[in-house]
């Protein structure tokens, strides 16, 4: 929703002087304090704030690590070990940064799936959604570049496999990969440019985040009911209501984060990355970081190189079409009895694809908790990949047309009061 | 140009904007080309290798141009299997004869043509050659792709036998040798 005229009043001579020259306090007051926000946001809506914190955590810990890290093929691995053993609190800062990447992705996936469930991508928030996809792709690139830097076995072979995606491009593929590497294989020149770009991209992300928030502040927040804000009764000022709610959620999220940093710092990583890179031997089982696993399963499900790479990028690109593929008049899955179930089926499919992405690359039968299932892993990955695309390209447009949604409430305020009335009646 | 409103000044505007655009594009090129392999990288051209310690059936991995290279001393059975494979069974048809200079020595760029992993020497796959651990491509005893996502055979680097036991990898082969380098990436 459009925010009304600014209500900021400078309180002293200095702020009055500044306000007529650079109204930055007014800007911050309008956007971060007074901003009218739907009064019914639940905790799934706190991940935006959590993501801002994680971006700051990654940038600060990363800048500090760059003071000790050496981006050279003969020194990188040892410089990381020196950070772990000799640099004061180096172990802590590196574990914050490596686990921080994972938690950044946990938060971004929950943030994206929240948007899927409540229809936050639908008009008038398409540009907001598209900018979110850009941020996600930048995060994927940054995470990949960063994972290369320790120059362990997984770093090296992960970099090799990912850069080879570009060799699938017809005719110019080989020239492009050699240009990316600066050599005939992943090499010291590759490591140095990856370090440079890994330092750069987080600031690009920060820039796109600003655009993302700008695009959020034009239509205003979506909400669990998915209905538009009708008037002042539907909203509360961002501060103190959501600064407090977001603050509490951030604290709980950081508590989980701290558990991994302090008590299980290598759980989300791979032991093979503590073996220095060896260009002559690929580890027997290479897996990407967990946040790429569903996409990795999509890639491996296709027995053709170029088509596999296209399909993998397509799995993300299909999100960009979603605002126009979803034909439903209703945003929130709260009022969509069929789509709500299909949403959870999609979550299950993505989870299983992630599970399959972590398995060895043969087409033996799937062994799940010690039980051999009578279906090959490859076939299973193909079925789930096909379903994934069907969900977006066929099921979503069809269900939007065929489904009869439940009636949506008249306004946020009425729905909140009705719920409160029911609760007090029940307790009476 | 029949428009009477077009002046000589308009021409100057368009010409200077055009020249600036071309200049900017030209200035961009050094910043793109700096990422291509540097002169010292390009200089790592040839590697000499002594074949004498290798026994029949053994595969050795050496480094050439920062890439791993397999040198495999094939057994008579492996040579026979490679030579007798019908062309119709091959995804990237090529005779074994076109891939070796001496049937006993198979020399290949050890980079899987799928996404660049090194196929495993221990896991030989369904065709007795190599199995790539990353995405399950199977190669035969001539290094040809037989099953899995890889599109091409393992590439044959240019090489030259200096003597019966010495090979120079990266050098153009003498006449009548194997096909020159096919860097499938």
């Amino acid at each position: 929703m459009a925010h009304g005229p600014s209500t900021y009043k400078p309180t002293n001579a200095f702020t009055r002087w500044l306000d007529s020259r650079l109204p930055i306090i007014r800007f911050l007051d309008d956007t971060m304090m007074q901003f009218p926000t739907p009064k019914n946001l639940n905790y799934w809506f706190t991940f935006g704030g959590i993501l801002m914190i994680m971006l700051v955590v990654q940038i600060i810990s990363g800048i500090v690590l760059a003071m000790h890290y050496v981006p050279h093929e003969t020194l990188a691995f040892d410089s990381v070990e020196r950070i772990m053993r000799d640099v004061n609190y180096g172990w802590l800062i590196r574990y914050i940064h490596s686990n921080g990447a994972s938690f950044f992705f946990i938060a971004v996936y929950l943030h994206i799936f929240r948007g899927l469930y409540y229809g936050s991508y639908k008009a008038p928030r398409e540009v907001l959604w598209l900018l979110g996809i850009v941020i996600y792709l930048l995060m994927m690139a940054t995470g990949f570049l960063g994972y290369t830097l320790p120059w362990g076995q997984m770093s090296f072979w992960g970099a090799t496999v990912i850069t080879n995606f570009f060799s699938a491009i017809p005719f110019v593929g080989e020239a492009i990969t050699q240009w990316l590497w600066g050599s005939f294989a992943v090499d010291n020149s590759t490591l140095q440019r990856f370090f440079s770009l890994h330092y750069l991209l987080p600031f690009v992300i920060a820039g796109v985040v600003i655009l993302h928030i700008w695009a959020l502040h034009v239509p205003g927040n979506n909400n669990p009911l998915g209905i538009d804000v009708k008037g002042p009764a539907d909203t509360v000022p961002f501060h103190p209501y959501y600064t407090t709610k977001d603050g509490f959620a951030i604290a709980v999220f950081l508590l989980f984060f701290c558990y991994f940093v302090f008590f299980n710092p290598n759980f989300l990583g791979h032991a093979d990355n503590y073996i220095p890179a060896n260009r002559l031997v690929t580890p027997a089982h290479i897996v990407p970081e967990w946040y790429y696993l569903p996409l990795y399963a999509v890639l491996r499900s296709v027995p053709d190189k170029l088509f596999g790479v296209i399909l993998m990028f397509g799995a993300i690109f299909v999100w960009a079409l979603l605002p126009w593929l979803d034909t439903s008049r209703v945003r929130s899955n709260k009022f969509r009895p069929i789509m709500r179930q299909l949403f959870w089926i999609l979550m299950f499919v993505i989870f299983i694809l992630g599970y399959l992405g972590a398995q060895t690359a043969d087409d033996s039968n799937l062994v799940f908790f010690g039980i051999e299932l009578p279906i090959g892993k490859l076939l299973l990955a193909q079925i789930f990949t096909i379903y994934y695309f069907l969900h977006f390209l066929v099921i979503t447009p069809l269900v939007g047309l065929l489904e009869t949604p439940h009636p949506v409430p008249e306004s946020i305020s009425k729905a909140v009061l009705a719920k409160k009335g029911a609760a007090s009646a029940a307790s009476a | 140009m029949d428009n009477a409103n077009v002046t000589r000044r308009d021409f100057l505007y368009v010409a200077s904007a055009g020249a600036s655009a071309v200049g900017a594009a030209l200035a961009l090129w050094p910043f793109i080309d700096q990422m291509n392999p540097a002169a010292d990288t390009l200089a790592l051209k040839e590697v000499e290798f002594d074949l004498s310690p290798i026994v029949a059936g053994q595969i050795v991995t050496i480094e050439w141009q920062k890439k791993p290279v397999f040198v495999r001393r094939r057994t008579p059975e492996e040579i026979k299997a490679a030579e007798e494979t019908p062309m119709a069974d091959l995804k990237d048809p090529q005779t074994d004869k076109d891939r070796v200079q001496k049937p006993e020595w198979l020399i290949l760029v050890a980079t899987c043509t799928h996404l660049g992993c090194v196929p495993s020497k221990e896991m030989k796959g369904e065709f007795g050659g190599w199995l790539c651990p990353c995405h399950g491509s199977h190669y035969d005893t001539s290094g040809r792709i037989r099953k899995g996502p890889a599109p091409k055979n393992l590439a044959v680097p240019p090489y030259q036998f200096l003597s019966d036991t010495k090979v120079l990898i990266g050098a153009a082969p003498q006449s009548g040798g194997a096909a020159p380098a096919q860097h499938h990436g």
Side-chain angles (χ1 to χ4, degrees):
Chain A
M1 61 167 287
H3 28 132
S6 176
T7 55
Y8 171 69
K9 290 212 171 23
T11 49
N12 60 46
F14 171 71
T15 51
R16 272 192 297 277
W17 177 86
L18 186 66
D19 196 52
S20 59
R21 286 159 178 82
L22 178 70
I24 187 167
I25 304 178
R26 176 181 299 279
F27 173 76
L28 295 175
D29 186 71
D30 292 348
T31 53
M32 293 167 71
M33 309 288 270
Q34 307 302 333
F35 187 71
T37 312
K39 56 162 72 165
N40 61 337
L41 299 188
N42 59 29
Y43 276 106
W44 297 109
F45 284 77
T46 59
F47 285 98
I50 288 169
L51 284 161
M52 296 262 279
I53 295 295
M54 290 318 293
L55 180 60
V56 171
V57 166
Q58 289 304 87
I59 287 178
I60 292 174
S61 56
I63 287 172
V64 173
L65 287 172
M67 296 176 184
H68 304 281
Y69 170 77
V70 186
H72 188 275
E73 61 177 347
T74 59
L75 301 169
F77 189 90
D78 289 346
S79 77
V80 172
E81 285 310 303
R82 182 176 164 270
I83 288 169
M84 295 303 290
R85 296 165 196 211
D86 298 337
V87 174
N88 300 330
Y89 292 103
W91 59 272
L92 175 64
I93 296 160
R94 174 164 176 263
Y95 279 153
I96 286 173
H97 199 69
S98 59
N99 286 282
S102 274
F103 273 76
F104 205 161
F105 275 99
I106 290 173
V108 88
Y109 280 123
L110 292 173
H111 188 66
I112 292 168
F113 295 150
R114 186 271 295 158
L116 273 181
Y117 187 86
Y118 293 118
S120 301
Y121 50 85
K122 289 173 76 71
R125 297 186 182 82
E126 302 95 322
V127 172
L128 173 61
W129 174 254
L130 294 176
L131 287 168
I133 295 173
V134 172
I135 295 169
Y136 173 70
L137 290 173
L138 286 168
M139 282 177 64
M140 298 281 266
T142 310
F144 156 68
L145 294 170
Y147 194 61
T148 306
L149 303 185
W151 214 239
Q153 272 291 67
M154 283 293 159
S155 295
F156 183 89
W157 292 102
T160 298
V161 168
I162 306 281
T163 49
N164 264 296
F165 288 165
F166 297 92
S167 72
I169 300 168
F171 309 115
V172 293
E174 193 191 322
I176 290 178
T177 44
Q178 291 190 358
W179 177 74
L180 287 172
W181 294 329
S183 182
F184 304 102
V186 173
D187 193 2
N188 185 53
S189 16
T190 323
L191 175 60
Q192 291 189 325
R193 63 190 57 178
F194 277 20
F195 177 62
S196 169
L197 294 172
H198 182 70
Y199 206 121
L200 166 72
L201 286 189
F203 299 98
V204 178
I205 291 176
V208 186
V209 165
I210 290 171
L211 294 179
H212 190 65
I213 296 170
W214 186 5
L216 167 71
H217 279 206
V218 176
N221 291 74
N222 187 30
N223 64 83
L225 298 174
I227 57 177
D228 291 333
V229 167
K230 303 261 163 41
D234 290 344
T235 64
V236 289
F238 191 80
H239 178 76
Y241 293 95
Y242 288 112
T243 42
T244 315
K245 188 161 188 151
D246 281 358
F248 179 67
I250 288 164
V252 173
F253 187 82
L254 291 181
L255 216 54
F256 283 108
F257 176 51
C258 286
Y259 165 74
F260 279 91
V261 169
F262 288 103
F263 298 103
N264 220 341
N266 289 304
F267 180 78
L268 297 162
H270 196 294
D272 277 15
N273 218 28
Y274 285 102
I275 303 169
N278 178 353
R279 64 174 72 254
L280 298 187
V281 183
T282 306
H285 181 202
I286 78 161
V287 278
E289 291 286 82
W290 68 266
Y291 36 85
Y292 302 116
L293 287 174
L295 293 166
Y296 197 58
V298 171
L299 170 80
R300 293 200 306 194
S301 73
V302 188
D304 179 80
K305 177 173 165 176
L306 178 61
F307 190 52
V309 172
I310 289 173
L311 211 62
M312 186 190 66
F313 284 108
I316 305 291
F317 179 71
V318 75
W319 295 356
L321 304 177
L322 190 58
W324 296 276
L325 288 170
D326 186 352
T327 51
S328 174
R329 289 171 293 112
V330 173
R331 287 197 195 101
S332 175
N333 272 335
K334 206 173 158 73
F335 305 108
R336 302 187 60 188
I338 313 276
M339 203 49 174
R340 184 164 63 215
Q341 292 172 38
L342 292 168
F343 170 85
W344 290 111
I345 291 173
L346 180 70
M347 292 300 106
F348 174 75
V349 165
I350 292 173
F351 178 79
I352 295 294
L353 280 174
Y355 180 81
L356 291 170
Q359 304 305 306
T360 49
D362 52 59
D363 49 5
S364 59
N365 286 352
L366 181 65
V367 179
F368 198 66
F369 290 112
I371 304 158
E372 187 174 335
L373 304 178
I375 182 160
K377 286 182 286 197
L378 184 62
L379 179 64
L380 207 59
Q382 287 168 345
I383 293 170
F384 279 75
T385 297
I386 290 169
Y387 180 85
Y388 177 89
F389 282 96
L390 280 181
H391 174 91
F392 290 103
L393 296 173
V394 179
I395 296 173
T396 299
L398 281 183
V399 171
L401 294 173
L402 300 176
E403 174 187 52
T404 312
H406 296 317
V408 298
E410 218 176 292
S411 75
I412 293 170
S413 174
K414 286 215 166 117
V416 170
L417 291 175
K419 199 170 160 191
K420 203 173 173 219
S424 56
S427 65
Chain B
M1 289 282 198
D2 52 15
N3 192 334
N5 294 329
V6 175
T7 63
R8 290 159 65 98
R9 179 148 295 185
D10 289 332
F11 173 78
L12 282 176
Y13 287 148
V14 172
S16 46
S20 307
V22 171
L26 288 176
L28 200 60
W29 176 246
F31 291 88
I32 295 169
D33 192 42
Q34 53 82 21
M35 280 178 66
N36 275 317
D40 62 334
T41 308
L42 292 170
L44 299 169
K45 216 173 155 233
E46 293 173 354
V47 163
E48 195 179 301
F49 184 64
D50 180 10
L51 298 168
S52 54
I54 305 178
V55 297
Q58 194 181 357
I59 307 170
V60 172
T61 315
I62 59 173
E63 200 177 308
W64 169 67
Q65 284 194 344
K66 299 273 183 161
K67 284 182 285 199
V69 167
F70 285 141
V71 178
R72 181 174 186 156
R73 185 168 188 172
R74 298 193 293 183
T75 62
E77 299 80 52
E78 287 169 350
I79 297 170
K80 193 158 171 275
E83 285 176 347
E84 289 176 358
T85 307
M87 286 295 109
D89 289 1
L90 299 175
K91 190 170 173 183
D92 180 14
Q94 208 181 12
T95 61
D96 187 58
K97 217 162 63 167
D98 287 339
R99 297 176 54 76
V100 291
Q101 290 178 27
K102 297 179 180 181
E104 198 180 10
W105 297 104
L106 179 64
I107 300 177
L108 300 169
V109 175
T111 304
C112 181
T113 59
H114 182 226
L115 295 174
C117 295
V118 179
S120 167
K121 287 190 285 189
E122 286 74 33
M123 296 182 281
K124 294 194 168 166
E126 290 175 24
F127 299 89
W130 287 269
L131 169 66
C132 184
C134 294
H135 308 92
S137 291
H138 296 255
Y139 294 93
D140 67 11
T141 54
S142 189
R144 293 173 297 201
I145 179 65
R146 299 298 291 273
K147 187 179 169 187
K152 302 266 188 182
N153 301 333
L154 292 177
V156 179
Y159 62 90
Q160 196 187 93
F161 280 97
L162 300 176
S163 68
D164 280 349
T165 57
K166 276 229 158 50
V167 67
L168 185 65
I169 296 171
Q174 281 151 337
S175 55
Q182 299 160 7
H183 301 292
H184 293 309

